[in-house]
């Protein structure tokens, strides 16, 4: 699944780059949005936790095929790891991304996303009757796919799958034992 997603993403970004090279850059089209993300954390021992996060987005389309975007988020739902008696909670998340856009129709777009994400988690576990709080923070390359539909001219509904942190780590920023993080988000975006 990861190889297929990466191949599709790279193809969309390359196609966008070729189109951008031949297109004029009109005025920027700024946008802002809000979404809810269903997050999945997989640790090195095979344990899994499912979290919820709220994420805000600000960005701008450089042209119909390329956009830049920044995300900031925080956790709203924590979860216990399904193999161990510890609780995970997202405390902060932010990232910077490039979106390669493929317009399918005047009201539907698909896009590939590539960028860098930084996350911070709080992990609470019980060890020999003592409750321990451990903070984890990590940064890594992120990639994803999304679809955007426009029920109104300036308002869109967005569904996105993104791998926030995986084996494509930024050198020195991620220990191999830290979890892989992915998510599916549903939200809305407004174009100014």
């Amino acid at each position: 699944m990861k190889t297929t997603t990466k191949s599709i993403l790279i193809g969309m970004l390359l196609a966008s780059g070729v189109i951008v090279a031949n297109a004029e850059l009109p005025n920027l089209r700024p946008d802002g949005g809000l979404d809810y993300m269903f997050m999945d954390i997989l640790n090195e021992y095979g344990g899994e936790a499912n979290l919820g996060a709220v994420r805000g987005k600000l960005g701008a389309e450089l042209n119909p095929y390329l956009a830049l975007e920044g995300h900031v988020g925080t956790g709203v739902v924590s979860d216990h790891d399904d193999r161990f008696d510890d609780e995970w909670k997202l405390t902060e998340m932010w990232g910077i991304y490039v979106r390669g856009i493929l317009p399918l129709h005047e009201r539907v777009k698909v896009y590939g996303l590539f960028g860098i994400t930084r996350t911070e988690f709080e992990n609470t576990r019980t060890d020999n009757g003592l409750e321990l709080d451990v903070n984890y923070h990590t940064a890594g390359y992120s990639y994803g796919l999304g679809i955007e539909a426009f029920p109104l001219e300036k308002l869109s509904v967005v569904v996105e799958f993104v791998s926030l942190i995986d084996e494509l780590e930024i050198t020195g920023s991620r220990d191999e034992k830290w979890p892989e993080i992915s998510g599916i988000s549903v939200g809305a975006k407004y174009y100014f």
Side-chain angles (χ1 to χ4, degrees), residues 112-185:
L113 185 75
F114 185 77
I116 297 173
T117 302
R118 183 186 188 283
T119 59
E120 186 171 314
F121 291 90
E122 192 175 278
N123 179 249
T124 305
R125 65 180 76 174
T126 305
D127 190 12
N128 294 328
L130 297 172
E131 192 170 284
L132 303 172
D133 287 333
V134 180
N135 288 330
Y136 291 95
H137 62 290
T138 183
Y141 296 106
S142 303
Y143 55 89
L145 295 171
I147 186 164
E148 192 171 359
F150 290 80
L152 302 173
E153 183 181 343
K154 292 188 173 190
L155 183 68
S156 68
V157 176
V158 182
V159 176
E160 180 178 283
F161 165 78
V162 64
S163 178
L164 293 169
I165 308 287
D166 75 352
E167 72 275 2
L168 293 172
E169 69 186 64
I170 297 173
T171 304
S173 70
R174 181 173 181 268
D175 188 308
E176 287 180 8
K177 295 181 180 179
W178 288 357
E180 292 184 12
I181 307 160
S182 59
I184 295 175
S185 65

Side-chain angles (χ1 to χ4, degrees), residues 3-79:
T3 305
T4 303
T5 303
K6 288 177 190 176
S7 299
I8 291 170
L9 174 64
I10 290 168
M12 289 180 71
L13 290 174
L14 288 175
S16 296
V18 170
I19 292 168
V20 168
N22 295 320
E24 293 181 22
L25 292 177
N27 294 332
L28 293 178
R29 186 176 177 203
D31 61 73
L34 188 66
D35 62 24
Y36 183 83
M37 179 176 275
F38 302 90
M39 298 178 74
D40 184 47
I41 298 176
L42 182 64
N43 70 27
E44 80 275 19
Y45 304 111
E48 185 175 4
N50 299 303
L51 308 179
V54 174
R55 186 173 59 161
K57 301 177 180 182
L58 284 176
E61 282 189 0
L62 303 176
N63 64 34
Y65 308 102
L66 187 67
L68 301 176
E69 200 166 77
H71 299 179
V72 175
T74 188
V76 292
V77 176
S78 58
D79 188 25

